[in-house]
Amino acid sequence: MLASIVVADMNEVDVGSRQSDWDKIAEENDFAELVKQAITDTLIVGDGAFKLSIDTNLSQYPIIEFYPGDRVEIIRERGRVKEVVFKTVYTVKNQEYILLETYGKGYITYMLTRDNKECDISTVPELAGLRPVTWEDKSFMMAIPIMFYKSAKFKGRGKSIYDSKIDEFDALDEAWSQWMDALRKNRTKEYIPENMLPRNPYTGKVLKPNAFDNAYISTEASMKEGQTNKIDLVQGNIPHESYLATYITALDLCLQGIMSPSTLGIDVKKLDNAEAQREKEKATLYSRNNIVGQLQKVLPKLVDIVFKAMDTFHKTPIKDTDIDVTFGEYANPSFCLLYTSPSPRDMRRSR
């Protein structure tokens, strides 16, 4: 949902005189969907990186891919990104190989490994033609890391949005499981005296109950004087209010600091006025602003590297490109007022 909110507010990327080229690149790479997937994976895993590659068999333009943090290793030197290593798994004859693509400033190297040992890259047929790549301009690499929150545990890496919420989600799962378990165990039970059980008209034996619609519990027929045999339906009481309160509390703890329940379509107190609901939406606004702030730093660099890679491939002089990536203001649709312009007749009446 956070990714959808951010991407929906993203305006078209403005690249000035090279707009037509960027429009074709964005269309071929489905740029909006790529950014959405990158936001989702980064929030879940903690970080990731965009990778650029050129394959003329697929496209005449640079190919943009996103690798989540579990498939990326970021090598830093004095706090600066030196290299980005992308990991891709290939399977040949039921054996797994890992391709390590090391992206640095001015070069790309490839290494195929299996069980942490280097192998001949031609072992994987589709990789047989890969060779190290270098270019003259050492000012850029064809990879851009991205993160929204910094990890306190792993220096230089990102933090997942769920890192501090694992216990809360476990509690939510437990509350819901307990509620559902109580519902299953408190189904209506039917007690039927033995002399009232359905029987086979030919043999007189009691028919076996159907587990789906004729389930019942057999009881002994009462022999007391004046006692009538009857079918009893018994169902226990479920403390719904207690379960609901526990569930809501656990859910609030899960979403606390991330987003408002109303953003997810979860019913909030209907007695709240518009101002109170706007206050609750601030959690979503803070999360969105943090994501937008990081994207406004990363996306212009990504677009700039796309053009530098394309110029390098075509052996044309690398030019600086003015890039502008803007986002609209966030507003919950439920807060928007529908305005209808007055008709000429109403305007004359008001005069």
Side-chain angles (χ1 to χ4, degrees):
M1 179 58 71
L2 277 174
S4 299
I5 290 171
V6 173
V7 173
D9 292 335
M10 185 173 68
N11 300 323
E12 291 186 4
V13 179
D14 184 10
V15 295
S17 60
R18 309 190 74 172
Q19 188 67 45
S20 59
D21 289 336
W22 170 250
D23 290 340
K24 294 177 182 177
I25 295 171
E27 182 180 358
E28 284 207 4
N29 288 279
D30 197 0
F31 190 67
E33 188 62 30
L34 177 68
V35 172
K36 181 179 178 180
Q37 188 61 46
I39 296 171
T40 304
D41 291 343
T42 303
L43 288 173
I44 294 171
V45 180
D47 56 16
F50 290 98
K51 185 185 84 170
L52 299 183
S53 56
I54 296 177
D55 188 346
T56 53
N57 293 326
L58 299 177
S59 173
Q60 60 178 333
Y61 297 105
I63 299 171
I64 310 174
E65 299 173 89
F66 181 80
Y67 280 61
D70 55 347
R71 297 171 57 194
V72 170
E73 183 180 352
I74 302 173
I75 301 173
R76 298 177 183 269
E77 187 175 296
R78 296 183 180 181
R80 305 292 190 274
V81 178
K82 181 183 179 182
E83 292 177 336
V84 179
V85 182
F86 297 95
K87 304 175 183 179
T88 308
V89 178
Y90 291 90
T91 303
V92 178
K93 296 180 180 179
N94 296 326
Q95 294 184 346
E96 286 191 353
Y97 296 87
I98 299 178
L99 174 66
L100 303 179
E101 301 174 85
T102 303
Y103 279 59
K105 292 184 177 180
Y107 63 90
I108 302 174
T109 61
Y110 302 97
M111 183 173 67
L112 188 67
T113 63
R114 182 174 182 269
D115 297 331
N116 296 324
K117 296 180 181 179
E118 186 174 358
C119 305
D120 184 4
I121 200 166
S122 60
T123 307
V124 181
E126 56 193 291
L127 303 177
L130 283 180
R131 297 292 184 271
V133 180
T134 59
W135 56 89
E136 295 182 1
D137 192 340
K138 309 296 183 183
S139 64
F140 72 96
M141 71 171 68
M142 296 204 302
I144 290 288
I146 181 175
M147 69 175 72
F148 300 128
Y149 303 95
K150 291 184 178 181
S151 174
K153 186 177 181 181
F154 302 101
K155 189 175 181 180
R157 299 305 299 261
K159 184 183 76 170
S160 170
I161 200 171
Y162 298 114
D163 270 0
S164 58
K165 297 290 183 181
I166 296 176
D167 293 340
E168 283 76 6
F169 277 98
D170 284 344
L172 177 65
D173 179 67
E174 179 63 26
W176 179 252
S177 298
Q178 188 177 359
W179 194 350
M180 293 300 102
D181 189 52
L183 284 177
R184 283 191 292 269
K185 290 183 177 180
N186 278 275
R187 289 178 178 174
T188 302
K189 296 178 178 61
E190 188 177 14
Y191 294 89
I192 303 178
E194 186 177 1
N195 59 357
M196 298 181 68
L197 293 176
R199 298 176 181 273
N200 189 313
Y202 301 102
T203 63
K205 293 184 178 180
V206 177
L207 295 176
K208 292 183 178 180
N210 186 327
F212 293 98
D213 52 9
N214 289 328
Y216 56 82
I217 299 173
S218 173
T219 62
E220 294 292 336
S222 176
M223 303 296 292
K224 293 182 180 180
E225 185 178 354
Q227 185 72 29
T228 58
N229 295 318
K230 63 179 180 178
I231 299 174
D232 293 325
L233 296 176
V234 179
Q235 184 177 20
N237 293 324
I238 300 176
H240 295 87
E241 294 183 359
S242 300
Y243 284 127
L244 180 61
T246 305
Y247 175 79
I248 292 175
T249 303
L251 182 61
D252 285 341
L253 290 174
C254 290
L255 298 179
Q256 213 169 65
I258 299 179
M259 66 164 44
S260 166
S262 60
T263 307
L264 293 171
I266 299 173
D267 190 21
V268 295
K269 292 182 179 179
K270 297 180 179 180
L271 299 178
D272 286 352
N273 55 28
E275 185 177 355
Q277 293 193 27
R278 287 192 189 96
E279 289 297 319
K280 292 181 179 180
E281 282 290 323
K282 282 186 177 180
T284 303
L285 183 62
Y286 294 149
S287 298
R288 175 196 174 274
N289 287 348
N290 181 57
I291 296 172
V292 168
Q294 295 299 320
L295 289 178
Q296 286 181 324
K297 296 177 183 177
V298 172
L299 294 185
K301 293 180 182 178
L302 175 63
V303 177
D304 182 52
I305 290 174
V306 169
F307 285 116
K308 286 182 178 179
M310 192 165 64
D311 292 338
T312 301
F313 177 73
H314 293 296
K315 297 181 180 180
T316 58
I318 295 178
K319 299 176 291 185
D320 291 331
T321 307
D322 293 330
I323 301 164
D324 190 17
V325 180
T326 58
F327 290 82
E329 294 296 328
Y330 171 69
N332 189 317
S334 62
F335 300 151
C336 298
L337 297 177
L338 180 63
Y339 174 75
T340 306
S341 58
S343 63
R345 179 181 299 177
D346 294 334
M347 292 180 66
R348 287 195 298 269
R349 287 179 178 177
S350 63
R351 292 175 183 173

